[in-house]
C-alpha cells in the first residue's frame, strides 16, 4: 500500500521563478493538505483540498495556489519565488470518511531552495 | 489565532523517561495531536487527545487538560531511535480543518 508520495524531492530555483510541486495521496484518501516547514520550525498550513475545491486556506499570499485532480492527487504552485520561500513543503493526506480524528499521513516532502 | 509552545530541546539517557510539555492558547479546541519527525523524514502520527486524561500507547503516553490548555507526551524506556523532533499540534473548532503546529521539541537520547 503506497503512502503519500511527493515529487520532486529536491529542487533549486532562483528568485522570481515559478515552481510546481506534486503529491499523490495515500490510497483511499480523498483530502490533501499542504504545509510549509522552515528549518527548525513546525509545519505551517498553506491550504487543504477536498473534492477538487480549496476548502480552507492559511495565511499565505496569492502567489501560493493549488489544484486537486479527480484522482485526488494535488499540485502546489508558487509564483514569483522569494528567498523566504525556501523550505520543506509537506503534503499530507487524510480521509474524512474515517472520522474527524485528524490523523494526517505526510509525504517525505519537497525541499525547495531559492537562490 | 493559535499559540502553541513547547520546549526547543531535551536530552535524556537511554532507558530513561522524558516528558515533553505543550501549552496552547486557541480560539476553540477540537483535539490535540503529537507527531514524531526524524531528521529529513516525514512527520508520523503518534497520538490524539480530545478529552481530558491520559492516552497510553505502548511506550508513549499523552495527557490532556483542556481547562489548563496543557498537554504532555511521555516517552518511557527511551531508545536511541527515539531521537527525533516531537511536534504538538492543535485543531481549533469543528469545520476548521487545519492543524496548527508548535515549533517542535528536539529530543536527543544518549547512551
Amino acid at each position: 500500500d503506497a503512502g503519500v508520495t511527493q515529487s520532486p524531492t529536491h529542487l533549486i530555483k532562483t528568485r522570481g521563478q515559478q515552481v510546481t510541486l506534486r503529491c499523490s495521496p495515500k490510497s483511499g484518501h480523498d483530502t490533501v493538505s499542504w504545509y510549509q516547514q522552515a528549518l527548525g520550525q513546525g509545519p505551517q498550513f498553506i491550504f487543504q483540498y477536498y473534492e477538487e475545491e480549496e476548502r480552507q486556506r492559511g495565511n499565505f499570499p496569492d502567489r501560493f495556489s493549488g489544484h486537486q485532480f479527480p484522482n485526488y492527487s494535488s499540485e502546489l504552485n508558487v509564483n514569483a519565488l522569494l528567498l523566504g520561500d525556501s523550505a520543506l513543503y509537506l503534503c499530507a493526506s487524510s480521509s474524512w470518511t474515517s472520522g474527524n480524528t485528524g490523523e494526517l499521513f505526510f509525504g517525505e516532502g519537497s525541499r525547495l531552495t531559492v537562490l | 489565532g493559535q499559540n502553541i509552545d513547547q520546549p526547543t530541546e531535551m536530552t535524556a539517557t537511554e532507558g530513561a523517561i522524558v516528558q515533553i510539555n505543550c501549552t496552547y492558547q486557541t480560539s476553540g479546541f477540537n483535539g490535540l495531536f503529537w507527531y514524531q519527525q526524524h531528521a529529513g523524514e516525514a512527520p508520523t502520527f503518534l497520538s490524539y487527545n480530545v478529552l481530558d486524561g491520559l492516552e497510553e500507547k505502548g511506550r508513549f503516553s499523552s495527557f490532556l487538560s483542556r481547562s489548563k490548555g496543557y498537554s504532555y507526551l511521555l516517552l518511557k524506556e527511551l531508545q536511541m531511535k527515539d531521537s527525533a523532533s516531537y511536534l504538538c499540534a492543535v485543531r481549533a473548532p469543528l469545520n476548521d480543518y487545519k492543524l496548527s503546529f508548535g515549533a517542535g521539541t528536539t529530543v536527543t537520547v544518549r547512551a
Side-chain angles (χ1 to χ4, degrees):
Chain A
D1 178 23
V4 180
T5 58
Q6 293 187 243
S7 64
T9 54
H10 295 82
L11 68 167
I12 300 173
K13 294 286 187 177
T14 57
R15 281 178 296 176
Q17 285 190 310
Q18 178 265 343
V19 68
T20 297
L21 308 178
R22 296 175 176 82
C23 171
S24 292
K26 180 178 170 65
S27 178
H29 284 184
D30 56 9
T31 302
V32 173
S33 303
W34 286 92
Y35 287 81
Q36 180 195 66
Q37 187 175 26
L39 200 60
Q41 298 298 314
Q44 298 296 311
F45 177 77
I46 303 175
F47 40 53
Q48 183 182 90
Y49 278 85
Y50 174 69
E51 293 187 338
E52 302 180 49
E53 296 285 335
E54 182 184 288
R55 176 154 64 178
Q56 188 176 10
R57 187 180 183 90
N59 189 26
F60 279 80
D62 292 345
R63 298 187 297 109
F64 289 76
S65 63
H67 189 78
Q68 185 178 34
F69 299 94
N71 67 353
Y72 308 119
S73 67
S74 176
E75 287 183 350
L76 165 65
N77 301 291
V78 187
N79 295 323
L81 284 167
L82 303 174
L83 296 180
D85 295 331
S86 296
L88 179 67
Y89 288 85
L90 293 165
C91 171
S93 74
S94 55
S95 173
W96 292 95
T97 58
S98 63
N100 198 17
T101 62
E103 182 174 355
L104 299 178
F105 290 79
F106 284 89
E108 297 291 335
S110 295
R111 172 74 62 186
L112 171 65
T113 301
V114 182
L115 301 177
Chain B
Q2 329 286 31
N3 187 27
I4 301 165
D5 291 316
Q6 49 182 130
T8 304
E9 296 180 347
M10 301 184 74
T11 301
T13 305
E14 197 174 14
I17 299 172
V18 68
Q19 177 175 315
I20 306 170
N21 296 325
C22 172
T23 58
Y24 63 90
Q25 293 175 311
T26 60
S27 50
F29 177 84
N30 188 27
L32 186 140
F33 309 80
W34 285 95
Y35 284 82
Q36 180 191 60
Q37 186 176 26
H38 286 100
E41 297 184 10
T44 55
F45 171 80
L46 287 179
S47 69
Y48 167 72
N49 296 71
V50 67
L51 299 176
D52 291 351
L54 187 68
E55 294 283 341
E56 296 187 84
K57 191 183 294 185
R59 294 188 299 113
F60 294 0
S61 303
S62 58
F63 172 83
L64 175 66
S65 169
R66 289 172 295 171
S67 63
K68 295 181 180 178
Y70 167 71
S71 173
Y72 68 72
L73 179 69
L74 195 68
L75 286 62
K76 294 176 280 189
E77 302 169 17
L78 279 172
Q79 303 175 7
M80 299 299 286
K81 68 178 181 179
D82 298 329
S83 292
S85 177
Y86 291 85
L87 299 161
C88 174
V90 174
R91 169 179 288 147
L94 289 173
N95 299 323
D96 187 332
Y97 303 101
K98 69 178 182 291
L99 293 187
S100 298
F101 285 83
T105 299
T106 299
V107 171
T108 302
V109 180
R110 295 183 173 167

